[in-house]
Amino acid sequence: VEEYELEQFQKEVEKAYPGLCSDIDEIQVINTGLTLFGDDAREKRQGLSFGKRSMLIDHGSINGVDGLVTLIGVRATTARGMAAKAIRLITGKLKKAYNSNNKSAYQPVWGGNFKSFGQVKNQIQSFSGIHLSAQEADALAHNYGSNFSNVLKYINEYIDLASVFPGTTTLKAEVVHGVREEMALTLKDVVFRRTDLGTDGKPEERSLSICADIMASELDWSEVKTQSEIESVNRCYPRLG
C-alpha cells in the first residue's frame, strides 16, 4: 500500500464522516487483502482479480484427463460444502458409495461446541479459580470458544501467564499456546496471526518486548534473534509523514 493510496482513502473518509480521520498520521494499522466481490468491468479497469466463487473442476469431462479433480476454494464459510462435493465426485469416479450422512455436516467447528456465547464466558470465569475481567473473558471466548481451556492450562505451569499484556485483553498464555499448538515461529506470527496483540494498532513497546521474551524462552532465541524479531514487527507499521 502506497502513501498516496492512504491519502486518497483518508480524504474519502473525511468527506463521508468529517472529523473521523482528519489526518493521515491518525492511521495506526493497515489491513489489506484480496477483493472477493466486484463487477467484471471494475475488475478489468483496475486490474483486480475477484475470487467470486469456489470452483470444482472435473478435468476428465473438461480436458480429457481422467482421474484429475481440482477444487479452488474462496470462502471459509463454504469450504465444508465444497469439500463434500469434491469427495462425492471422487467417490463416484472410484465407483465407491458416498456416505451422505457425513459427520462433518453437523460436527461443530473447532471451539464451537457450545449452545450460547454466555455459557462459554461463564465457564471461563469459573475455570480453576482463575479470575479474568469481563473484557478478558469476552476476548478469550471470541478467539477460542469452547476450547478456551487449551490456553488456560498453561497458567498451571507459570502463574504469570494469567496476566494480560499492558493495554490489551490478550493473555500471555496465548503466546505459549500459539507456539506449542498453532506453529507460531516468529513474533509476527503471534502479534498478527495468533492473537489480538496487533489487531487494534501497534502494541506498546513493552508488550512487544514481553511477548518476544516469552517466545525466546519457548524457541530458545538468542538476544540478537529476539531483538531482530521485535524490529521485524515494528517495520510492519506505517511511518507516515
Side-chain angles (χ1 to χ4, degrees):
V1 178
E2 301 293 337
E3 188 166 339
Y4 78 87
E5 295 177 285
L6 295 178
E7 291 174 345
Q8 181 179 4
F9 181 67
Q10 180 269 322
K11 290 177 182 177
E12 292 177 5
V13 172
E14 179 65 15
K15 183 177 180 180
Y17 196 145
L20 180 64
C21 182
S22 58
D23 193 279
I24 193 173
D25 289 334
E26 294 181 40
I27 299 175
Q28 297 294 314
V29 65
I30 305 161
N31 292 309
T32 62
L34 296 175
T35 306
L36 295 179
F37 305 100
D39 58 85
D40 292 335
R42 181 180 169 219
E43 180 175 329
K44 294 176 181 178
R45 185 172 64 253
Q46 299 186 359
L48 298 174
S49 178
F50 296 121
K52 296 184 181 68
R53 60 186 66 85
S54 298
M55 298 175 63
L56 179 60
I57 305 170
D58 180 358
H59 293 281
S61 60
I62 296 177
N63 309 109
V65 183
D66 200 25
L68 180 62
V69 173
T70 297
L71 172 59
I72 303 174
V74 174
R75 302 173 183 86
T77 51
T78 61
R80 193 216 64 83
M82 289 304 299
K85 289 181 180 179
I87 293 172
R88 186 182 297 113
L89 174 61
I90 293 169
T91 52
K93 286 180 171 294
L94 295 173
K95 301 188 184 314
K96 294 186 177 182
Y98 173 74
N99 181 12
S100 59
N101 188 30
N102 193 299
K103 67 178 182 179
S104 69
Y106 54 82
Q107 185 177 18
V109 297
W110 190 94
N113 190 20
F114 58 87
K115 294 183 179 180
S116 71
F117 191 68
Q119 175 190 22
V120 179
K121 291 177 66 176
N122 290 335
Q123 290 174 345
I124 291 174
Q125 293 283 23
S126 60
F127 183 83
S128 297
I130 296 172
H131 177 72
L132 300 177
S133 70
Q135 292 81 4
E136 292 161 3
D138 189 77
L140 195 67
H142 271 108
N143 291 331
Y144 302 95
S146 57
N147 288 344
F148 65 87
S149 62
N150 288 20
V151 174
L152 297 184
K153 67 183 181 182
Y154 293 111
I155 296 172
N156 293 328
E157 293 184 22
Y158 187 38
I159 191 61
D160 187 55
L161 294 177
S163 60
V164 297
F165 291 94
T168 77
T169 56
T170 301
L171 289 167
K172 295 173 184 176
E174 293 181 56
V175 179
V176 177
H177 177 270
V179 173
R180 298 188 189 180
E181 301 190 37
E182 297 181 331
M183 298 184 291
L185 295 175
T186 68
L187 189 58
K188 288 194 291 187
D189 284 340
V190 167
V191 172
F192 299 118
R193 293 179 284 274
R194 304 297 194 281
T195 72
D196 281 338
L197 267 178
T199 300
D200 191 28
K202 184 179 179 181
E204 295 181 15
E205 200 64 32
R206 56 176 174 161
S207 292
L208 283 181
S209 180
I210 294 170
C211 185
D213 286 343
I214 295 173
M215 292 195 71
S217 178
E218 289 292 314
L219 299 172
D220 196 26
W221 288 348
S222 66
E223 290 185 15
V224 174
K225 169 66 173 175
T226 303
Q227 186 57 40
S228 174
E229 289 291 323
I230 294 174
E231 292 171 357
S232 179
V233 170
N234 284 329
R235 285 195 296 270
C236 292
Y237 289 92
R239 291 177 173 84
L240 306 173

